[in-house]
Amino acid sequence: MSRKGLHLKLEELKTELAQVKGLEIAIGRIVEEEWAEPVGPTPFPSLASLRDWDLKLLKKYKPMYLPYCDVCCLCTMGKCDLSKGKLGACGLDMSKQQSRIVLLACCIGAATHTGHARHLVEHLIEKYGPDYPIDVGRTVGVEVEAPVTRLVCGVRPKTLGDLEDVLDYLETQIVHLLSSTHTGQEGDELDFESKVFHAGMIDQVGMEIADIAQISAFNLPRADPNAPLADIGLGTVDTSKPVILIIGHNVPPSVEIIDYLERNGLYDKVEVTGICCTAHDITRYESRAKIIGPISWQLRYVRSGVPDVIVVDEQCIRADILVEAQKIKAPVIASTEKNCLGLADRTNDPVEEIISDLAGGKTPGALILNPEKVGEVAVKTAFQVYPNRSKFKIIPEIDELIREARRCTRCNECRRACPNNLPIPEAVSDAATGNLTGLANLYEACIGCGRCESACPNHIRVHSFIVKGSERKIREEKYKVRVGRGPIQDVEIRNVGAPIVLGEIPGVVALVGCANYPEGGIEVAEIAEEFLKRRYIVVASGCSAMSIAAYKNEEGKTLYEAYPGTFEAGGLVNVGSCVSNSHIAGAAIKIANIFAKRNLRANYEEIADYIHNRVGAVGLAWGAITQKAASIASGFWRLGVPVIVGPHGSKYRRMLLGRRDHEEDWYVYDARTGKRVYAGPTPEHLFYAAETKEEAMVMMAKLCLRPNDTSKGRMIKLANYIDMHRKFYGVMPDDIPQYVRRESEIPVTMKDEIVKILKDSGWQEKPTPDPTLLPRLVGVKK
Ligand code: SF4
Ligand code: SF4
Ligand code: SF4
């Protein structure tokens, strides 16, 4: 029985897709409304409903485990040494342990987005009522407004209240998934992997629920390719005004801050600035708000002494934010139960009393669990703290820096601790002589983690030194980002569906995930530009969307100013914050539904099969990724979309790699004839770690190849892949014969060279199937 008191019992359900008997599910009130589309075979799938599909993918893309540590200490029967084939006390081996840890990470990610969605939806229902309509772009013709939810659950939420029913399902699944990781539960690594995929799919629904709720209720851009440009960068902040900094992902307290300022005619007297995804969402709400930067900008911005008040909500907030804030005497307001920071709960205290305590320094911060009150307290406190601010900047002056740098013994501890292995000792030694160039040179690649300082036995403030050495660069950090537009319009899908599926648009590349890049954010922007120039569709979200903005081309324009925000060839689409990632999967799903007219409702396998075989999409998470980013990646895997990660990504313990030398792995059914046909290693991998941005780009181009490409499409995709390979490696790739199926697919400008390669390899023409991995689709005319 659902908590809405509604219960659906289907004795027998017959659709053109499947026959389901004895299905009994409590799916709330939303299933009752009229919807012409028949329910597909897997409404509200449980842990094993899509296992067959997962195992098909995992047969092609076998997990390759890369243990990050040899022991398991998850229960007190251990710790158990799992090295060299040894089993733990519960019988678990290393492979199962690795896949279990991936599942745990993805459960954390899915729970985080779903918890975020639950919190947000409850807040919005309290404020606007359960019947408030979902509208993510009705006026621009967005009719398939929740494609992931429709696909997974088979329901079409119309109101905020409907979203609660979906959340009930998601939460149940997360509990079951998490329970599978208990000692003595799942005992097979591929079944762990299947559950990883399930967690990723659940995560995609959770993200979609969160974003469609906030778009609808807060009137964020609704599928708008011309969403306004907003300021981004440390240099954009007007320090002559009180400054509020907001960090996190869940926007209601920030909305209340902006509303309070608007109601009182104060907006132009205060700077509202943000870090991480709340920053995206405040600019979606009010484009005059400013984004400072991604997650890794926290330390440098706080230490600059610029923020007068820091408001934190949830996710990706430094655990030492209170300590850092105290150094500059900026009060902290914690605004969710998930991150109380040890602060006293002041939710029910009088506003003036809280402000007096915060501004007077009586208390370092306050926990306020009422977003409206957060809005008023944050603004009034900022006005009171502001006059004293300059006294508390903690970036050292030059004399102080030189004195402190002289304490350096070049012990190298900082460099050993640095995740990017930066040449810190040399830079600090130079600084001791007054030369700050070395410090300035570290700025781009420094991810602001502060580990160098923690490691330094002489308590040298290395990160603050880097910020000091980079003052000029920081002042010049003034860029523009197109604010998150939300979903892709149905009409955009109609326009690009055919060229994507036929391969004439060479691919859709999605730049997602967190910002702790190996060589700094510039690499993400360079990757984006390379693919934009080649007329791929480039989609971005979260920290990656910010990093793309922090780069200007030869004309002094950011990529958001130089390229359109439309979902089209050569378009740069910022969908928005982390939860807006769901629109990237949503776009692929909508191609299958709107362009190819595949049924969407609870028809997961068929849609994933379509995307995997026909939609040339690939994701890239270039930075070190959080658990949320892990679950985002696994959601793409279940849809059959490959994901590439940067060098840090291998720490997620396993890759999902295809073996192009295993010919038997690359057969598909030809849906026209039912014959099994060799389709080539396309896409070659499902999860791949690249060491350099060049390797990542070449692999991205290659992973856009699909069995369904037409000859012209394959030619265009191969031209890009081969051209990038030659550009970055200086040679032709050695696998061309595996990807050319007929001579008409040979890129014209390289014809002679490739014909020779084909001849030398004994190449033979291959068929182009109507590909599917699902035998039940054979002979089904579409
Ligand atoms: S879960 Fe298994 S492998 Fe891990 S510590 Fe416990 S007994 Fe050992
Ligand atoms: S850890 Fe400290 S003392 Fe050692 S090299 Fe680095 S800055 Fe110098
Ligand atoms: S703060 Fe920067 S320099 Fe220090 S350890 Fe982190 S990345 Fe390296």
Side-chain angles (χ1 to χ4, degrees):
M1 186 67 65
S2 91
R3 62 197 182 90
K4 300 291 175 299
L6 291 166
H7 184 115
L8 181 78
K9 185 170 179 177
L10 301 176
E11 293 303 339
E12 184 166 346
L13 172 74
K14 255 191 190 171
T15 76
E16 65 180 40
L17 296 165
Q19 183 173 336
V20 181
K21 282 190 179 170
L23 173 70
E24 190 172 317
I25 40 177
I27 54 179
R29 61 179 167 251
I30 39 183
V31 80
E32 293 187 308
E33 44 91 26
E34 291 290 306
W35 188 2
E37 192 171 317
V39 184
T42 53
F44 293 91
S46 60
L47 265 58
S49 306
L50 293 162
R51 180 172 178 258
D52 285 351
W53 169 250
D54 298 337
L55 295 179
K56 281 183 176 42
L57 290 175
L58 291 162
K59 188 166 167 270
K60 271 211 277 185
Y61 306 105
K62 295 183 179 61
M64 188 179 97
Y65 295 103
L66 310 155
Y68 202 55
C69 84
D70 285 344
V71 295
C72 175
C73 47
L74 270 181
C75 85
T76 58
M77 289 199 282
K79 59 183 179 186
C80 298
D81 176 4
L82 303 177
S83 65
K84 298 181 184 149
K86 292 195 271 289
L87 301 182
C90 62
L92 204 74
D93 67 13
M94 182 61 94
S95 302
K96 297 174 183 81
Q97 169 65 357
Q98 296 308 306
S99 49
R100 180 166 70 144
I101 297 291
V102 178
L103 177 56
L104 267 173
C106 291
C107 283
I108 294 171
T112 305
H113 284 138
T114 304
H116 170 178
R118 171 66 81 183
H119 193 188
L120 185 61
V121 168
E122 281 180 351
H123 170 75
L124 295 175
I125 287 178
E126 204 180 307
K127 200 162 167 164
Y128 300 103
D131 298 329
Y132 194 89
I134 299 300
D135 174 9
V136 297
R138 216 170 293 145
T139 58
V140 291
V142 178
E143 285 176 11
V144 185
E145 74 295 324
V148 186
T149 306
R150 288 184 184 202
L151 176 66
V152 174
C153 303
V155 297
R156 196 165 51 159
K158 294 282 187 56
T159 64
L160 289 176
D162 291 343
L163 300 179
E164 287 201 289
D165 296 325
V166 178
L167 287 168
D168 290 348
Y169 159 72
L170 302 180
E171 287 158 355
T172 307
Q173 295 306 301
I174 292 166
V175 169
H176 289 313
L177 285 166
L178 194 53
S179 73
S180 307
T181 66
H182 190 273
T183 303
Q185 292 266 40
E186 187 55 79
D188 180 84
E189 63 265 31
L190 290 190
D191 272 312
F192 269 125
E193 299 293 349
S194 166
K195 290 176 172 67
V196 166
F197 287 9
H198 194 65
M201 182 194 72
I202 294 300
D203 183 55
Q204 278 183 343
V205 181
M207 290 189 290
E208 183 174 84
I209 296 298
D211 212 36
I212 64 177
Q214 64 181 4
I215 290 170
S216 304
F218 291 144
N219 196 21
L220 308 185
R222 292 182 158 94
D224 182 2
N226 300 310
L229 291 165
D231 286 327
I232 176 168
L234 270 160
T236 64
V237 183
D238 180 351
T239 52
S240 68
K241 297 175 184 175
V243 177
I244 299 172
L245 165 63
I246 304 150
I247 312 173
H249 284 72
N250 206 343
V251 78
S254 311
V255 163
E256 295 294 346
I257 290 170
I258 292 169
D259 285 354
Y260 183 85
L261 289 167
E262 299 282 12
R263 270 198 310 276
N264 293 283
L266 294 169
Y267 197 93
D268 291 332
K269 297 188 169 56
V270 174
E271 287 283 81
V272 180
T273 65
I275 284 178
C276 217
C277 281
T278 297
H280 269 303
D281 288 339
I282 56 174
T283 58
R284 294 167 86 188
Y285 187 66
E286 165 52 80
S287 60
R288 287 176 296 171
K290 290 173 180 171
I291 299 176
I292 298 306
I295 179 174
S296 43
W297 259 242
Q298 291 180 58
L299 271 189
R300 64 186 66 158
Y301 186 46
V302 172
R303 289 183 181 185
S304 72
V306 170
D308 294 304
V309 173
I310 300 171
V311 178
V312 297
D313 51 75
E314 60 176 275
Q315 304 163 41
C316 302
I317 299 151
R318 285 190 65 96
D320 60 351
I321 191 69
L322 193 60
V323 176
E324 289 291 331
Q326 279 182 284
K327 289 179 189 165
I328 61 162
K329 305 226 178 330
V332 173
I333 299 171
S335 59
T336 80
E337 287 173 337
K338 287 176 196 142
N339 187 12
C340 300
L341 292 173
L343 296 167
D345 185 353
R346 308 293 300 269
T347 310
N348 298 315
D349 290 355
V351 167
E352 296 306 331
E353 205 177 282
I354 307 171
I355 295 166
S356 159
D357 289 352
L358 292 175
K362 192 169 164 197
T363 170
L367 174 65
I368 304 176
L369 299 174
N370 174 336
E372 231 170 284
K373 197 175 228 175
V374 170
E376 183 177 357
V377 172
V379 171
K380 288 182 169 171
T381 306
F383 275 108
Q384 290 205 18
V385 171
Y386 163 67
N388 299 319
R389 176 177 56 191
S390 56
K391 292 178 198 162
F392 303 119
K393 175 176 151 181
I394 55 157
I395 304 297
E397 292 304 334
I398 183 77
D399 295 347
E400 194 187 352
L401 185 152
I402 292 171
R403 275 199 306 278
E404 194 168 317
R406 285 185 186 143
R407 296 207 304 260
C408 176
T409 55
R410 296 199 68 161
C411 68
N412 225 25
E413 289 296 327
C414 49
R415 185 167 190 163
R416 270 194 283 277
C418 176
N420 285 348
N421 190 29
L422 296 178
I424 305 163
E426 296 77 1
V428 174
S429 293
D430 287 352
T433 68
N435 175 7
L436 305 193
T437 319
L439 290 171
N441 290 342
L442 300 181
Y443 184 73
E444 304 290 352
C446 169
I447 61 168
C449 66
R451 271 160 57 168
C452 46
E453 293 187 3
S454 230
C456 178
N458 294 321
H459 309 293
I460 293 171
R461 292 169 289 170
V462 180
H463 184 59
S464 294
F465 279 24
I466 295 171
V467 175
K468 178 68 185 172
S470 314
E471 275 181 325
R472 192 177 54 80
K473 277 189 196 166
I474 289 171
R475 273 198 299 276
E476 288 167 5
E477 264 183 26
K478 292 181 185 173
Y479 307 102
K480 292 283 183 192
V481 60
R482 192 170 302 288
V483 310
R485 57 165 282 176
I488 310 305
Q489 294 179 12
D490 296 10
V491 68
E492 291 173 286
I493 297 291
R494 281 187 197 99
N495 291 340
V496 298
I500 290 176
V501 170
L502 302 178
E504 289 155 15
I505 290 179
V508 181
V509 299
L511 307 180
V512 302
C514 314
N516 297 343
Y517 315 108
E519 299 287 338
I522 184 77
E523 291 199 331
V524 183
E526 286 168 351
I527 294 169
E529 189 175 35
E530 181 75 37
F531 284 94
L532 286 166
K533 283 181 175 166
R534 292 173 182 274
R535 302 201 44 82
Y536 286 68
I537 301 176
V538 178
V539 188
S541 66
C543 291
S544 293
M546 295 181 191
S547 300
I548 289 170
Y551 163 78
K552 290 181 181 168
N553 65 13
E554 313 81 52
E555 292 163 25
K557 286 184 175 168
T558 63
L559 297 180
Y560 291 104
E561 294 166 290
Y563 291 88
T566 322
F567 192 77
E568 64 181 11
L572 174 57
V573 178
N574 173 17
V575 284
S577 54
C578 278
V579 291
S580 313
N581 268 305
S582 53
H583 306 309
I584 303 175
I589 293 165
K590 280 167 69 157
I591 289 171
N593 175 235
I594 295 173
F595 163 70
K597 303 203 176 350
R598 300 291 176 111
N599 283 339
L600 183 54
R601 187 175 190 182
N603 192 22
Y604 195 94
E605 275 189 344
E606 183 176 344
I607 295 284
D609 180 65
Y610 185 93
I611 293 170
H612 180 59
N613 284 301
R614 295 161 201 268
V615 179
V618 59
L620 174 72
W622 194 233
I625 55 179
T626 63
Q627 298 93 339
K628 287 191 304 160
S631 58
I632 290 169
S634 60
F636 282 115
W637 298 330
R638 191 174 242 185
L639 283 172
V641 176
V643 176
I644 298 173
V645 287
H648 294 298
S650 60
K651 294 177 202 159
Y652 263 112
R653 296 152 197 272
R654 64 100 173 80
M655 300 287 110
L656 298 170
L657 302 179
R659 290 283 306 271
R660 60 184 151 95
D661 54 325
H662 285 195
E663 189 188 317
E664 65 277 13
D665 289 351
W666 305 105
Y667 278 78
V668 296
Y669 292 99
D670 186 331
R672 287 178 297 249
T673 63
K675 285 193 182 142
R676 300 218 348 118
V677 180
Y678 177 72
T682 49
E684 187 180 348
H685 305 299
L686 204 52
F687 186 39
Y688 181 87
E691 285 298 319
T692 65
K693 75 169 193 292
E694 289 78 15
E695 184 190 354
M697 284 191 278
V698 172
M699 188 54 83
M700 285 162 78
K702 182 154 94 162
L703 293 185
C704 287
L705 297 171
R706 289 295 180 280
N708 186 62
D709 298 334
T710 58
S711 289
K712 186 177 167 199
R714 180 60 65 92
M715 182 181 74
I716 294 169
K717 291 183 181 187
L718 278 176
N720 281 289
Y721 164 52
I722 297 169
D723 186 55
M724 276 198 235
H725 199 285
R726 287 206 301 199
K727 177 174 171 183
F728 297 126
Y729 294 136
V731 292
M732 298 285 267
D734 62 5
D735 52 6
I736 294 174
Q738 285 184 288
Y739 297 112
V740 178
R741 297 166 301 183
R742 61 193 64 207
E743 283 203 24
S744 55
E745 295 174 354
I746 300 172
V748 185
T749 54
M750 314 167 191
K751 188 142 192 167
D752 294 346
E753 224 173 329
I754 293 178
V755 166
K756 184 172 180 321
I757 291 171
L758 295 183
K759 210 169 149 205
D760 292 349
S761 71
W763 173 85
Q764 286 184 333
E765 199 166 90
K766 299 175 205 67
T768 309
D770 179 5
T772 177
L773 301 182
L774 302 172
R776 70 180 166 84
L777 295 184
V778 170
V780 179
K781 198 169 179 305
K782 288 287 168 189

